[in-house]
Every structure is written in C-alpha cells, then in structure tokens.
Amino acid sequence: MGRLFFTALVNLGAYFVLRRLWPSIREGWRHQTFLALAGLSLLGLALPLVFGFGDHGVVPMVGLPLKLFSSGWLIAVGLVMLLGWPLALLLKRRAPAPASVAPVVQVTEGGAALVAAPPVDLERRSLLVGAGRALPLFAAATSSAGMVAGSSGFVLREVDVRLRGLPPALDGFRIGQITDVHIGTFIDTQYLRATVEAMNQAGVDLQVMTGDLIDDLSQLDETMAALEMCQARHGMLAILGNHEHWRGLPAVREAYAASARRGGPVRLLVDEAHVLEHAGHRVRVVGVDYPIGPRRSVSAKADRMRRSAEVAFRGTSPDELVLCLSHHPDFFPLAVERGARLTLSGHTHGGQVALLGMPLFRFAFDYMLGRYRRGEGQLYVSGGTGHWLPFRIGVPAEVTLVTLRAEA
C-alpha cells in the first residue's frame, strides 16, 4: 500500500510540474492521456493487492506487463518531477510582464521619474521553454533504456584479488558471489538457477550468497531448490540481508535449516564462521548478520555491527586465511580490524546508474561499488545480481568470479 501511495504522490508532483513546463497538458488529449497512463500505473500496483497477491505478487496473464509499465512510468514521472521543478521555477522568474503593467516609478534625489519595466531575456526564456517541452521525451527515453538494460540478464565479472602473504596452495582459489537477487516480481527462480549454473560452469571452489535473496516468500521452496544446485567443492555459504529481515526472517531461516537437514550444499551463517580446508590450508569464512533493529540511528547500527564482529570472529587463528561476508559494506573496517583479508558485500546495487563508470549516487554510501583497500584488507562491493526495480544504466547485474592471487 505504501508503494501505491508513493506512486500516486509522484504522479501528482509530475503533473503540477508539467502544467508549468507544458501548459497544453492542462486540457485536451494531452491531459486525458496523462491521466490515463497515470491511472494505468496505479492499476498495475493495485491489482495484486485487490486479488490478494500482496505487494510482490503478480496477477496471472496481465500482472507482469502491468507492473513493468508501472515501474517504467514511475521512473519517467520521477525524472520529470526531479529535473522539471528547477526549470519550472526559472520559467516563473523569467515570465514576461503583462502588457497592462504600468511603468515603474523610481524616486531619486532629483525627484520621481517613470521607468520602463526591466526587459525579459526572451531568447533565454525560449531555451528554457524548449528544455521543458523536451523533458518528458528525455524522461521516457531514459526510462525505456534503463528498463531494457535492467531486464537483460547478468554479466560474469572476473575479479582478481592480490593478497600479500597468500600461501601458494591458495593462489588461484576461486569464489563465486551472487547477492541482492530479490526473487519476486521481476526476478524468478529460473534466473537464480542460471546464476548458480554459471558459477558451476566457472568451476569455482566456493559459492557465496551475500544477502537479499528473496522478496516473495511464496517462491521460497523453489528458491532453495535453485541454491541447492550448487556443485562447488566447498558448497555455498549464505548470509542475511535487510530484505530477509523485512519479508519474514523466521521462514527464511527455517528454509535454510531445512536445506541443511536434507544434506544440501548450502549453509547459512549468522554471526558465525565456517572453516574449510583447501589444499592443506585452513580458510575461515565469517558471515555477519545485517545490522537491523528497533532503533535505526547511525550509532545503533554501529553498535550492532560491533556486537556482530565480537561474536562472529571468535576463535580466529593467525594461521588461517580469514574471509568475511557482510551484506552491508560499512562493516569493512571492523572486518579488517579482526584480520579479514577480503570482505565481499552487496546491498548498494552500485546505485544501478553510473555515468562514465562513476556511480551517480556514490554519495549515498561510503563503499558504493567495486574494490576498496584498507591496510592489509580488501573489499569488493558487487553491483548486485538482481533487483527490485528493473532499471540499470552503466551498472549491469553481475555474477562475480573472484580469484585469489599471491601479491608479489
């Protein structure tokens, strides 16, 4: 219901911006077309609620196309609202004075005088009017391009991580990472199966799933079956993200536990570690919980992260290679303090939009996308394997193939 209300507000805001930028939308066929498309976008979100499918459910036959349209329309009107209101304000300031406006009376030491109203820069105003009229076309084109890119599957991203002092036997150890899959409206379990199969084909030694696996719990059984396709030598280690906490943590944890009881290759780590032996060397993989709780302040999040670190890193030995899985990349400094040489994270989706390789929303997180280094520790933040909004520009969905290398 919250998403429906938000979409209605964005539609309303975009309409008022367009009334200033594109006055002809106030009446006639343009007015009717906007209202019809806005109504259709709301219908795409309302139908699943009306028929009991929930926020992330899809009405058979018509539900998915309608939700795709609703998402694309929301992005377009959101761009109109965000980019259009500065133009609308400028146009208002540069509006020509009515012909009936009397000259200005200016009082000086020599007495009062009539002065003509200040002239309006009509050339600059015409440029603003042209930009305002082009904005809806730009928003529609950007939304369409992002929706196509966001629905185009995933790429395999090879990442070499060089670690000083890495034992020769671990040189070439490979990890496949998936994260932020978001099984639900736009990502189904077939997509998840394809990502696991890609890691199988790559022959990685260990597969990891770093949180935000699922949004639609009605697909939980099929989701676990897809993860259990893992054929890696050391299986798959998974951690929790914020969406597991939001959508139904008890059900998700029970699904992982049931998979373990069946002897499946998937193990969930919640503030704990799993030690594996590879070519005679011990590798400790630490998995931490997402820092969520009743208090959402920055200090509360930091406190929860510190508590997770104290519990999860207990028993670490100097002769082990320590790896860390954390959904939120802000855990990275704590992981380095406790000896983790590599931390794998997700959560940010890389902002899903980048220009010239730079995430557009990089200000939103300290660690947004790609590789970071701090002392002897390194961090890789994935751009995400799926999405809850099928819109990406410059940040494709990825399955990450990490290879550990000894630093010379």
Side-chain angles (χ1 to χ4, degrees), residues 34-372:
F34 181 88
L35 292 182
L37 294 176
L40 192 61
S41 73
L42 295 173
L43 182 66
L45 298 175
L47 274 182
L49 298 175
V50 171
F51 288 100
F53 290 94
D55 276 334
H56 301 281
V58 175
V59 177
M61 301 296 290
V62 298
L64 184 57
L66 270 178
K67 278 209 167 182
L68 282 170
F69 170 79
S70 297
S71 298
W73 177 260
L74 177 61
I75 292 166
V77 294
L79 287 171
V80 166
M81 188 173 70
L82 290 174
L83 301 178
W85 71 265
L87 284 174
L89 289 177
L90 286 172
L91 281 171
K92 185 176 182 180
R93 290 180 58 186
R94 296 184 178 278
S100 59
V101 172
V104 177
V105 177
Q106 186 176 28
V107 180
T108 64
E109 291 182 1
L114 293 176
V115 180
V120 174
D121 188 337
L122 295 179
E123 183 178 351
R124 184 170 295 181
R125 176 176 169 78
S126 67
L127 286 175
L128 291 173
V129 170
R133 290 178 176 172
L135 181 58
L137 299 178
F138 169 79
T142 301
S143 176
S144 299
M147 292 285 288
V148 170
S151 303
S152 299
F154 59 86
V155 299
L156 290 177
R157 188 174 304 282
E158 296 271 2
V159 178
D160 282 356
V161 176
R162 298 193 174 275
L163 301 176
R164 187 180 295 114
L166 183 72
L170 293 178
D171 191 321
F173 185 84
R174 304 191 77 204
I175 306 167
Q177 180 196 14
I178 57 175
T179 187
D180 299 274
V181 183
H182 293 287
I183 297 295
T185 303
F186 303 111
I187 301 292
D188 60 16
T189 54
Q190 286 300 114
Y191 183 93
L192 179 59
R193 286 177 178 272
T195 68
V196 176
E197 182 57 29
M199 292 188 290
N200 288 340
Q201 291 296 321
V204 298
D205 299 296
L206 172 68
Q207 297 182 15
V208 299
M209 208 299 297
T210 51
D212 280 6
L213 172 64
I214 189 167
D215 285 321
D216 180 10
L217 295 188
S218 70
Q219 302 185 55
L220 188 52
D221 289 343
E222 293 180 7
T223 296
M224 297 310 301
L227 295 183
E228 289 170 356
M229 291 174 53
C230 167
Q231 298 173 4
R233 174 180 176 180
H234 299 293
M236 177 184 290
L237 299 176
I239 59 172
L240 300 170
N242 49 309
H243 281 245
E244 284 90 348
H245 282 270
W246 291 344
R247 306 306 177 203
L249 184 59
V252 172
R253 295 195 65 163
E254 173 54 29
Y256 276 113
S259 176
R261 289 194 295 269
R262 291 192 296 269
V266 184
R267 177 175 175 180
L268 178 66
L269 300 178
V270 184
D271 289 343
E272 58 188 304
H274 174 75
V275 179
L276 58 92
E277 187 169 307
H278 184 87
H281 289 270
R282 286 164 59 90
V283 178
R284 178 179 291 266
V285 184
V286 177
V288 297
D289 197 2
Y290 187 82
I292 198 168
R295 295 188 299 125
R296 297 192 177 186
S297 65
V298 174
S299 61
K301 183 186 82 170
D303 287 342
R304 286 190 288 271
M305 284 186 173
R306 281 192 291 270
R307 288 197 296 270
S308 287
E310 290 169 2
V311 174
F313 280 85
R314 285 175 184 165
T316 302
S317 171
D319 64 344
E320 298 171 332
L321 172 66
V322 181
L323 310 177
C324 179
L325 308 179
S326 171
H327 184 65
H328 203 306
D330 280 0
F331 190 82
F332 176 49
L334 292 172
V336 174
E337 287 177 8
R338 286 157 177 80
R341 302 297 305 280
L342 173 64
T343 300
L344 298 177
S345 294
H347 187 55
T348 68
H349 297 212
Q352 294 196 196
V353 179
L355 301 177
L356 301 177
M358 295 294 292
L360 188 61
F361 306 108
R362 61 185 181 276
F363 56 84
F365 293 94
D366 292 334
Y367 310 101
M368 172 60 82
L369 177 66
R371 303 170 67 164
Y372 301 86

